Amino acid sequence: MSYNVLEICRHVINYSNEHDYGISNLKLQKVLYFIQAYFLINKKDHTPCFDEKIEAWDFGPVVPEAYHEYKQYGSGDIPTVKSYFLFDNSDIWNSKRVEYNDNIISPDDKKMIDKVIDKFSNYSATDLVSLTHRQSPWIDVYAPCQNNEITIESIRRYFNGG
């Protein structure tokens, strides 16, 4: 089972803030990419962590849906998520604010996600951009202003060592 990327974002942001790591939108995008890679090679059934696509942008891998959700914070750290809006696309009047609930993600999956967050906690967003710019999943599809998709297959192949 994979999650919606925004559920993963909320956990990453709150975990990062609880541990005083802080996390900007730029860093969040790179951490999401590494979480996806970690799931693809370490999860028992090799399923992705989330379904939304990852694109090759100028500053490395980006999940557009997650980027747009948090772009209002610019380059600053994103504050802890206590609640969020659930938009009903078919009926805007039905949209509502909901309390954040961390039980959506299974305890085992949280452990995997937290391991990735801990691993990259000392890296700056710029360090992570440099790191992803040296990896073939981004290199192979990047073209200025095109936002080409970095496929699950290319991530799995690269992180599996070939």
Side-chain angles (χ1 to χ4, degrees), residues 39-59:
F39 269 65
L40 290 171
I41 58 172
N42 290 296
K43 190 103 168 120
K44 216 173 24 224
D45 48 7
H46 303 289
T47 51
C49 178
F50 52 86
D51 296 321
E52 290 74 13
K53 67 180 183 169
I54 300 174
E55 295 179 351
W57 289 18
D58 291 351
F59 292 103

Side-chain angles (χ1 to χ4, degrees), residues 1 6 11 13 19 22 29 32 35 48 51 53 55 59 64 68 78 82 98 100 105 113 120 122 130 137 150:
M1 177 201 138
L6 296 181
H11 177 79
I13 292 162
H19 291 80
Q29 300 308 314
L32 289 171
I35 287 170
D51 296 321
K53 67 180 183 169
E55 295 179 351
F59 292 103
H68 293 299
I78 303 168
K82 292 186 170 71
V98 294
Y100 171 67
I105 304 168
I113 293 165
F120 293 110
N122 290 328
S130 303
I150 299 174

Side-chain angles (χ1 to χ4, degrees), residues 79-133:
T80 297
V81 179
K82 292 186 170 71
S83 64
Y84 56 93
F85 265 102
L86 211 51
F87 290 101
D88 182 339
N89 292 332
S90 59
D91 179 6
I92 192 69
W93 304 110
N94 205 19
S95 300
K96 59 183 179 274
R97 181 169 283 286
V98 294
E99 289 280 313
Y100 171 67
N101 175 0
D102 201 29
N103 296 332
I104 292 166
I105 304 168
S106 79
D108 286 347
D109 288 346
K110 273 189 219 166
K111 276 188 202 132
M112 289 179 67
I113 293 165
D114 296 349
K115 198 179 255 190
V116 176
I117 302 168
D118 290 339
K119 167 114 181 92
F120 293 110
S121 62
N122 290 328
Y123 286 69
S124 70
T126 315
D127 293 335
L128 294 177
V129 168
S130 303
L131 188 58
T132 58
H133 277 190

